[in-house]
Amino acid sequence: MVNNTQTVKKSGVNYFMQGFQLIKQPGLRSFVFIPLMINLVLFAGAMYLAVGQLTQLFDWMDGQLPDYLSWLHFFLWPLAVLTMLVVMSFIFSSVMNWLAAPFNGLLAEKVEQHLTGKNLNTGTSIDMVKDLPRVLGREWTKLKYYLPRALLFLVLFWVPVIGQTAAPILWFLFTAWMMAIQYCDYPFDNHKVSFDDMKFALKNTKGSSYSFGASVTLFSMIPIVNFIVMPVAICGATSMWVDKYREAYKNPMIAPD
């Protein structure tokens, strides 16, 4: 466990914004490209199918509406497409964290090497393939942590007055916390730091953790822009790892004091 961490006077927002600069670095762009292209191809395919279904729905609706309400088609169509974009963006953020997990860990590794000038020596490509079950197991651990808490917060939305007033704020804070966990976990996991120790370290720097997670959450709400949020967040989280946590955890074989 970590009882103290190196203090760096930089907010989580600063680290997230630094991610936009890091993804443009020549030595890192190729590692950003692979998960980004996977995201774009899958999202484009899903959008194609979804728009096809939406077209059929509106064709059916046009046949049911009287002529004097035909204008509703032009009003509802862009609204439906925008809603679909936002909903699918959130769904794809979760799905992509699973599909791109090995690439995300590799990106975090390369960012750390770029920032520190030191090799992590995490092994060959074959070693990465062998490590895949553990990497996916880590994603499962995060999902198990997330789901029961998410369900509890969603129940709050149904509590009259107090719950419905507080629920949106609590949900945003919880989402921000989960975004910090999701993306900071990649550099921690590269050093084989346990999930519980990672959470403990983030709780020790709550200000940075929440402001970083809030930045990720807000940018994830913007359609199209959210395509690049994942690599940006990984780069920013790795920069935060290097500044605040690396000294305590850089040797995975030795438990920090």
Side-chain angles (χ1 to χ4, degrees):
M1 289 278 188
V2 179
N3 292 325
N4 50 63
T5 55
Q6 180 184 354
T7 302
V8 176
K9 294 192 178 300
K10 231 169 130 178
S11 73
V13 178
N14 295 140
Y15 285 113
F16 178 74
M17 298 309 294
Q18 187 182 354
F20 284 100
Q21 300 300 318
L22 286 168
I23 63 171
K24 297 187 289 186
Q25 296 302 312
L28 300 176
R29 281 192 296 234
S30 58
F31 297 98
V32 172
F33 179 77
I34 295 174
L36 186 59
M37 286 309 299
I38 293 173
N39 200 356
L40 285 171
V41 169
L42 290 175
F43 191 84
M47 278 298 294
Y48 175 79
L49 294 173
V51 168
Q53 294 299 313
L54 204 58
T55 301
Q56 291 182 25
L57 174 63
F58 271 80
D59 287 343
W60 173 84
M61 188 179 74
D62 288 342
Q64 305 301 311
L65 289 174
D67 291 341
Y68 66 87
L69 289 178
S70 60
W71 59 271
L72 278 174
H73 179 103
F74 302 100
F75 173 73
L76 293 175
W77 177 259
L79 185 63
V81 171
L82 181 61
T83 302
M84 186 173 61
L85 272 172
V86 173
V87 171
M88 288 185 64
S89 295
F90 277 108
I91 293 172
F92 259 75
S93 294
S94 301
V95 173
M96 279 306 301
N97 285 328
W98 281 77
L99 295 178
F103 302 105
N104 292 344
L106 185 59
L107 174 58
E109 175 187 331
K110 297 304 177 183
V111 171
E112 184 172 343
Q113 289 177 6
H114 172 80
L115 293 172
T116 64
K118 297 177 181 177
N119 247 324
L120 297 191
N121 295 320
T122 53
T124 63
S125 299
I126 294 175
D127 293 324
M128 189 176 81
V129 172
K130 289 179 179 178
D131 205 32
L132 191 57
R134 189 193 63 78
V135 171
L136 294 178
R138 186 78 165 212
E139 292 299 316
W140 174 241
T141 299
K142 285 184 273 190
L143 188 62
K144 285 193 297 182
Y145 177 81
Y146 170 77
L147 283 178
R149 291 163 177 82
L151 290 172
L152 180 63
F153 281 111
L154 288 174
V155 168
L156 258 180
F157 278 92
W158 295 93
V159 178
V161 187
I162 296 176
Q164 292 173 353
T165 303
I169 299 170
L170 294 174
W171 178 257
F172 180 81
L173 290 173
F174 172 66
T175 303
W177 172 243
M178 282 307 307
M179 290 298 101
I181 284 179
Q182 178 63 51
Y183 292 107
C184 290
D185 187 54
Y186 293 114
F188 275 92
D189 189 41
N190 281 342
H191 289 263
K192 304 299 187 292
V193 178
S194 74
F195 183 71
D196 287 338
D197 279 2
M198 182 269 297
K199 285 190 300 173
F200 184 83
L202 293 183
K203 284 177 182 176
N204 277 355
T205 53
K206 282 183 181 177
S208 297
S209 300
Y210 275 101
S211 58
F212 175 83
S215 301
V216 177
T217 302
L218 290 172
F219 275 80
S220 296
M221 293 178 182
I222 307 172
I224 310 304
V225 174
N226 61 6
F227 284 138
I228 63 169
V229 165
M230 184 168 63
V232 167
I234 292 165
C235 291
T238 305
S239 177
M240 190 157 69
W241 152 270
V242 169
D243 284 351
K244 294 182 178 292
Y245 314 110
R246 185 175 183 273
E247 282 305 308
Y249 284 116
K250 63 183 177 181
N251 188 345
M253 302 304 294
I254 301 174
D257 295 325

